[in-house]
Coordinates of all heavy atoms in Angstrom, one line a residue:
P1 N 22.5 11.2 -6.1 CA 21.7 10.9 -7.2 C 21.6 9.4 -7.6 O 20.5 9.0 -8.0 CB 22.4 11.7 -8.4 CG 23.8 11.9 -7.9 CD 23.7 12.0 -6.4
N2 N 22.7 8.7 -7.5 CA 22.6 7.3 -7.9 C 21.7 6.5 -6.9 O 20.9 5.7 -7.4 CB 24.0 6.7 -7.9 CG 24.9 7.2 -9.0 OD1 24.4 7.6 -10.1 ND2 26.2 7.3 -8.8
A3 N 21.9 6.7 -5.6 CA 21.0 6.0 -4.7 C 19.6 6.4 -4.8 O 18.6 5.6 -4.8 CB 21.5 6.3 -3.2
K4 N 19.3 7.7 -5.0 CA 17.9 8.2 -5.2 C 17.3 7.7 -6.5 O 16.1 7.3 -6.5 CB 17.9 9.7 -5.1 CG 18.1 10.2 -3.7 CD 18.1 11.7 -3.6 CE 18.3 12.2 -2.2 NZ 18.2 13.7 -2.1
A5 N 18.1 7.6 -7.5 CA 17.5 7.1 -8.8 C 17.1 5.6 -8.6 O 16.1 5.2 -9.1 CB 18.6 7.2 -9.9
K6 N 17.9 4.8 -7.9 CA 17.6 3.4 -7.6 C 16.3 3.3 -6.8 O 15.5 2.5 -7.1 CB 18.8 2.8 -6.9 CG 18.6 1.3 -6.5 CD 19.7 0.8 -5.8 CE 19.5 -0.7 -5.4 NZ 20.7 -1.2 -4.6
H7 N 16.2 4.1 -5.8 CA 15.0 4.1 -4.9 C 13.8 4.5 -5.7 O 12.7 3.9 -5.5 CB 15.2 5.0 -3.7 CG 16.1 4.4 -2.7 ND1 16.8 5.2 -1.8 CD2 16.3 3.1 -2.3 CE1 17.5 4.4 -1.0 NE2 17.2 3.1 -1.3
L8 N 13.9 5.6 -6.5 CA 12.8 6.0 -7.3 C 12.3 4.9 -8.3 O 11.0 4.7 -8.4 CB 13.1 7.3 -8.1 CG 13.3 8.6 -7.4 CD1 13.7 9.7 -8.3 CD2 12.1 8.9 -6.6
K9 N 13.2 4.3 -8.9 CA 12.7 3.2 -9.9 C 12.1 2.0 -9.1 O 11.1 1.5 -9.5 CB 13.9 2.7 -10.7 CG 13.6 1.8 -11.8 CD 14.7 1.5 -12.8 CE 14.3 0.6 -13.9 NZ 15.4 0.4 -14.9
Q10 N 12.7 1.7 -8.0 CA 12.1 0.6 -7.2 C 10.8 1.0 -6.6 O 9.8 0.2 -6.6 CB 13.1 0.2 -6.1 CG 14.4 -0.4 -6.5 CD 15.4 -0.7 -5.4 OE1 15.3 0.0 -4.3 NE2 16.3 -1.6 -5.5
M11 N 10.7 2.2 -6.2 CA 9.4 2.7 -5.6 C 8.3 2.7 -6.7 O 7.2 2.2 -6.5 CB 9.6 4.1 -5.1 CG 8.3 4.8 -4.5 SD 7.3 5.6 -5.9 CE 8.4 6.9 -6.3
A12 N 8.6 3.2 -7.9 CA 7.7 3.2 -9.0 C 7.2 1.8 -9.4 O 6.0 1.5 -9.6 CB 8.3 3.9 -10.2
A13 N 8.2 0.9 -9.4 CA 7.9 -0.5 -9.8 C 6.9 -1.2 -8.7 O 6.0 -1.9 -9.1 CB 9.2 -1.3 -9.9
A14 N 7.2 -0.8 -7.5 CA 6.4 -1.4 -6.4 C 4.9 -0.8 -6.5 O 4.0 -1.5 -6.2 CB 7.0 -1.1 -5.0
L15 N 4.8 0.5 -6.8 CA 3.5 1.1 -7.0 C 2.7 0.4 -8.1 O 1.5 0.1 -7.9 CB 3.7 2.6 -7.3 CG 3.8 3.6 -6.2 CD1 3.9 5.0 -6.7 CD2 2.7 3.5 -5.2
V16 N 3.4 0.1 -9.2 CA 2.7 -0.5 -10.3 C 2.3 -2.0 -9.9 O 1.2 -2.4 -10.2 CB 3.6 -0.6 -11.5 CG1 3.0 -1.4 -12.6 CG2 3.9 0.8 -12.0
E17 N 3.2 -2.7 -9.3 CA 3.0 -4.1 -8.9 C 1.9 -4.3 -7.8 O 1.1 -5.1 -7.9 CB 4.3 -4.7 -8.5 CG 4.2 -6.2 -8.1 CD 5.5 -6.8 -7.6 OE1 6.5 -6.1 -7.8 OE2 5.5 -7.9 -7.1
R18 N 2.0 -3.4 -6.8 CA 1.1 -3.6 -5.7 C -0.2 -2.7 -5.6 O -1.2 -3.1 -5.1 CB 1.9 -3.3 -4.4 CG 3.0 -4.3 -4.1 CD 3.6 -4.1 -2.7 NE 5.0 -3.9 -2.8 CZ 5.7 -3.2 -1.9 NH1 5.1 -2.7 -0.8 NH2 7.0 -3.1 -2.0
F19 N -0.1 -1.5 -6.3 CA -1.2 -0.6 -6.1 C -1.6 0.0 -7.5 O -2.2 1.1 -7.5 CB -0.7 0.6 -5.2 CG -0.2 0.1 -3.9 CD1 1.1 0.3 -3.5 CD2 -1.0 -0.5 -3.0 CE1 1.6 -0.1 -2.3 CE2 -0.6 -0.9 -1.7 CZ 0.8 -0.7 -1.4
E20 N -1.4 -0.7 -8.5 CA -1.9 -0.4 -9.9 C -1.4 1.0 -10.3 O -2.0 1.8 -11.0 CB -3.4 -0.4 -10.0 CG -3.9 -1.8 -9.7 CD -5.4 -1.9 -9.9 OE1 -6.1 -0.8 -9.9 OE2 -6.0 -3.0 -10.0
G21 N -0.2 1.4 -9.8 CA 0.4 2.6 -10.2 C -0.1 3.9 -9.4 O 0.4 5.0 -9.6
E22 N -1.0 3.7 -8.4 CA -1.6 4.8 -7.7 C -0.9 4.9 -6.3 O -0.7 3.9 -5.6 CB -3.1 4.6 -7.5 CG -3.8 4.6 -8.9 CD -3.7 5.9 -9.6 OE1 -3.7 6.9 -9.0 OE2 -3.6 5.9 -10.8
V23 N -0.7 6.1 -5.9 CA -0.1 6.3 -4.5 C -1.2 6.1 -3.5 O -2.2 6.7 -3.5 CB 0.4 7.7 -4.4 CG1 0.9 8.0 -3.0 CG2 1.6 8.0 -5.4
P24 N -0.9 5.1 -2.5 CA -2.0 4.9 -1.5 C -2.0 5.9 -0.4 O -1.0 6.5 -0.1 CB -1.5 3.5 -0.9 CG 0.0 3.6 -1.1 CD 0.3 4.3 -2.4
G25 N -3.2 6.2 0.1 CA -3.4 7.2 1.1 C -3.3 6.5 2.5 O -4.1 6.8 3.4
D26 N -2.4 5.6 2.7 CA -2.3 4.9 3.9 C -0.8 4.8 4.3 O 0.1 4.5 3.5 CB -2.8 3.4 3.7 CG -2.6 2.5 4.9 OD1 -3.5 2.5 5.7 OD2 -1.6 1.8 4.9
S27 N -0.5 5.1 5.6 CA 0.8 5.2 6.1 C 1.6 3.9 6.0 O 2.7 3.9 5.5 CB 0.8 5.7 7.5 OG 2.2 5.8 8.0
E28 N 1.0 2.8 6.4 CA 1.7 1.6 6.4 C 2.0 1.1 4.9 O 3.1 0.7 4.7 CB 0.8 0.5 7.0 CG 1.5 -0.9 7.1 CD 0.7 -1.9 7.9 OE1 -0.3 -1.5 8.5 OE2 1.0 -3.1 7.8
K29 N 1.1 1.4 4.0 CA 1.4 1.0 2.6 C 2.4 1.9 2.0 O 3.3 1.4 1.3 CB 0.1 1.1 1.8 CG -1.0 0.0 2.2 CD -2.2 0.2 1.4 CE -3.3 -0.9 1.8 NZ -4.6 -0.7 1.0
L30 N 2.4 3.2 2.3 CA 3.4 4.1 1.8 C 4.8 3.7 2.3 O 5.8 3.7 1.5 CB 3.1 5.6 2.2 CG 2.1 6.3 1.3 CD1 1.7 7.7 1.9 CD2 2.7 6.6 -0.1
E31 N 4.9 3.5 3.6 CA 6.2 3.2 4.2 C 6.7 1.8 3.8 O 7.9 1.5 4.0 CB 6.1 3.3 5.7 CG 5.9 4.7 6.2 CD 5.9 4.8 7.7 OE1 6.9 4.3 8.3 OE2 4.9 5.3 8.3
S32 N 5.9 1.0 3.1 CA 6.3 -0.3 2.6 C 7.0 -0.1 1.3 O 7.7 -1.1 0.8 CB 5.1 -1.3 2.4 OG 4.3 -0.9 1.3
L33 N 7.0 1.1 0.7 CA 7.6 1.3 -0.6 C 9.1 1.6 -0.4 O 9.5 2.2 0.5 CB 6.9 2.5 -1.3 CG 5.5 2.4 -1.7 CD1 4.9 3.7 -2.1 CD2 5.3 1.3 -2.8
P34 N 9.9 1.1 -1.4 CA 11.4 1.3 -1.3 C 11.7 2.8 -1.2 O 11.2 3.6 -2.0 CB 11.9 0.7 -2.6 CG 10.9 -0.4 -2.9 CD 9.6 0.2 -2.5
G35 N 12.5 3.2 -0.3 CA 13.0 4.6 -0.2 C 12.0 5.5 0.5 O 12.3 6.7 0.6
V36 N 10.9 5.0 1.0 CA 9.9 5.9 1.6 C 9.9 5.6 3.1 O 9.5 4.6 3.6 CB 8.5 5.6 1.0 CG1 7.4 6.5 1.7 CG2 8.5 5.9 -0.5

């Protein structure tokens, strides 16, 4: 849970910063997110 909580928060922050909070429909962009 601790590691996953860290990854979730980092992933969400990256989505907001790079993709305006929206999940991209692109493999390369998705895999650039922390924990993905």
